[in-house]
Amino acid sequence: MGKSEAADILVVGGGIFGLACAHACLDRGRHVTLIDAGPTGGGASGGPVGALSPHPPDRWNEKKAAQLRALAGAEAWWGRIARLSGRDPGYGRVGRYIPLASEAARARAEAHARNAVDLWPAPFRWTLPPRDALSFEAPHGAVFETLSARIDPPRAIAALTDALAARGARLLTGHRVLGVAEGVAETEAGAIAARAILLAPGTGAGPLAARFLGCDPFQAVKGQAARVIPSAPLPAALVYADGLYVVPHADGTAGIGATAENAYAEPLGTDARLDDLLARAAALLPGLAGAEVVRRWAGLRPRGPRPEPMLGALPGSETLFLAAGAFRTGFGMAPLVGEILAALVAGEAPLMPPGFSIAEHLARIAATRRPESN
Ligand SMILES: Cc1cc2nc3c(=O)[nH]c(=O)nc-3n(C[C@H](O)[C@H](O)[C@H](O)COP(=O)(O)OP(=O)(O)OC[C@H]3O[C@@H](n4cnc5c(N)ncnc54)[C@H](O)[C@@H]3O)c2cc1C
């Protein structure tokens, strides 16, 4: 595509954020071109886990409320993608167990159950089932909440990609964007002019956006995860224990994740940390002892200065927009992020938690750099 063939909206990045933004723009009748340096889902969005889980109903704020809205609407959102693509994205609202580490944790969980009655919409519940009703060892019992769901990331990306093509979006894969300026992206396929350019390049956001942000505020947090075939049946729901997720998928496999590493020599290599994670999973659920590991995987979570997504028009620009910082919950937040970005591109002021704004993210950097006043 040459500069003379101007696109309406150019989305840079075919991970979960870019794909969700592209769909939301199509919903508003816009014409979308999506470009990715590799295939869609070749970045963090191609992993084996796929947990869609809420924050506990505690110390409530706009961020948690926004996440709740996104998760509550996920079933309909993914159902539509399945219909548009003719593919199964692997979505299932199966709920989640959280084994409790102590009686104090149980008391906190009981308080959360009371909070959920007010904070969570029906039919979603945060409950404490009787200890003898659990199919795994949990001396202090476990929470069971009904809002969590699973998605199968590679299938979900394939469904989103096919749905985009079916809706008439133009997909340019295998072409890196080298730089962006007002209304134009320089790419390996030549310059592409567009009315709006939406940057959703995951950990590639820094090089493209730093010029506008005044710095590169992004970090890439490595995560290792695996997909296994259990040796015996697992609970039908997700299980989450102290950073460890076990996600049972519809095909009988289970996603297990994830490590969180700020320093690493091999960004995409797996090592003994993943073995430790698998050993913890096997100790938690007997069906994972002796499980066959069918995929070992590592990826880089794109993180901004705050753990929330970083969204908005780039400072000083009217045509360049950013959807970055998906960090740990890109799949859960994507439908909402798509809506917000499509509205911003249309010149609207969408409902957005303040912590998602570029200004708030940059303020976090300024706050951490500020010298002690006394
Ligand atoms: C081990 C692990 C487990 C995880 N588990 C979960 C989970 O259970 N649930 C959940 O919700 N989230 C999970 N996450 C987080 C989730 O994967 C991320 O939040 C999400 O995938 C990030 O999506 P993204 O679209 O921002 O980035 P990416 O998926 O990385 O997509 C960015 C895309 O942009 C492209 N790109 C980059 N630079 C350029 C450029 N210059 N030009 C063109 N294209 C470019 C890349 O090729 C890539 O395809 C996990 C992450 C890891 C690492």
Side-chain angles (χ1 to χ4, degrees):
M1 180 185 267
K3 192 169 178 175
S4 54
E5 303 168 60
D8 179 17
I9 293 183
L10 178 68
V11 177
V12 179
I16 184 64
F17 267 17
L19 291 164
C21 290
H23 275 287
C25 290
L26 287 169
D27 287 343
R28 287 167 171 266
R30 305 296 297 259
H31 298 282
V32 174
T33 299
L34 183 141
I35 185 166
D36 197 295
T40 58
S45 302
V49 186
L52 305 180
S53 283
H55 292 284
D58 188 19
R59 288 173 290 164
W60 207 239
N61 58 30
E62 285 186 55
K63 173 182 89 170
K64 293 178 184 178
Q67 189 205 40
L68 175 72
R69 281 200 304 280
L71 293 175
E75 189 163 4
W77 197 85
W78 286 106
R80 179 165 177 248
I81 296 301
R83 285 192 299 281
L84 287 167
S85 65
R87 279 179 178 266
D88 178 5
Y91 180 87
R93 174 109 55 201
V94 292
R96 173 178 60 156
Y97 288 105
I98 309 173
L100 297 164
S102 64
E103 288 305 307
R106 189 174 176 86
R108 281 194 297 278
E110 282 166 350
H112 293 164
R114 290 190 292 277
N115 294 348
V117 173
D118 294 328
L119 297 172
W120 283 14
F124 304 117
R125 291 173 305 126
W126 181 281
T127 66
L128 280 103
R131 296 175 209 216
D132 58 8
L134 300 172
S135 64
F136 50 90
E137 201 61 39
H140 303 286
V143 166
F144 180 68
E145 52 87 1
T146 62
L147 178 54
S148 281
R150 66 165 177 237
I151 193 82
D152 196 334
R155 288 175 199 263
I157 293 293
L160 282 163
T161 306
D162 282 6
L164 274 191
R167 301 181 77 188
R170 177 161 192 195
L171 298 173
L172 297 173
T173 51
H175 298 296
R176 181 169 296 279
V177 171
L178 306 170
V180 291
E182 209 63 56
V184 65
E186 295 297 335
T187 86
E188 290 173 340
I192 301 177
R195 286 192 185 84
I197 299 176
L198 216 153
L199 298 176
T203 54
L208 296 178
R211 190 158 68 82
F212 301 88
L213 299 172
C215 61
D216 178 351
F218 299 102
Q219 210 188 327
V221 180
K222 179 175 174 178
Q224 300 184 44
R227 187 63 77 89
V228 305
I229 301 175
S231 55
L234 298 178
L238 281 62
V239 180
Y240 174 76
D242 196 18
L244 166 70
Y245 259 109
V246 177
V247 181
H249 286 284
D251 62 2
T253 63
I256 298 179
T259 68
E261 304 162 45
N262 289 315
Y264 39 83
E266 286 188 44
L268 302 180
T270 61
D271 57 29
R273 291 183 187 85
L274 181 55
D275 299 323
D276 291 346
L277 194 75
L278 290 168
R280 275 186 61 206
L284 180 68
L285 298 175
L288 292 174
E292 181 189 347
V293 179
V294 290
R295 187 177 180 211
R296 291 169 69 94
W297 182 85
L300 296 177
R301 302 177 183 93
R303 192 195 194 283
R306 300 170 60 92
E308 298 91 356
M310 184 174 179
L311 312 177
L314 284 175
S317 170
E318 291 177 358
T319 61
L320 300 171
F321 297 83
L322 184 67
F327 195 33
R328 289 174 178 273
T329 57
F331 279 85
M333 296 302 286
L336 179 68
V337 167
E339 282 300 319
I340 290 173
L341 263 291
L344 288 171
V345 168
E348 298 167 12
L351 197 61
M352 176 169 98
F356 288 19
S357 73
I358 291 177
E360 288 279 326
H361 275 268
L362 295 180
R364 171 69 59 90
I365 301 182
T368 51
R369 282 188 189 148
R370 200 170 295 142
E372 295 290 324
S373 54
N374 55 10

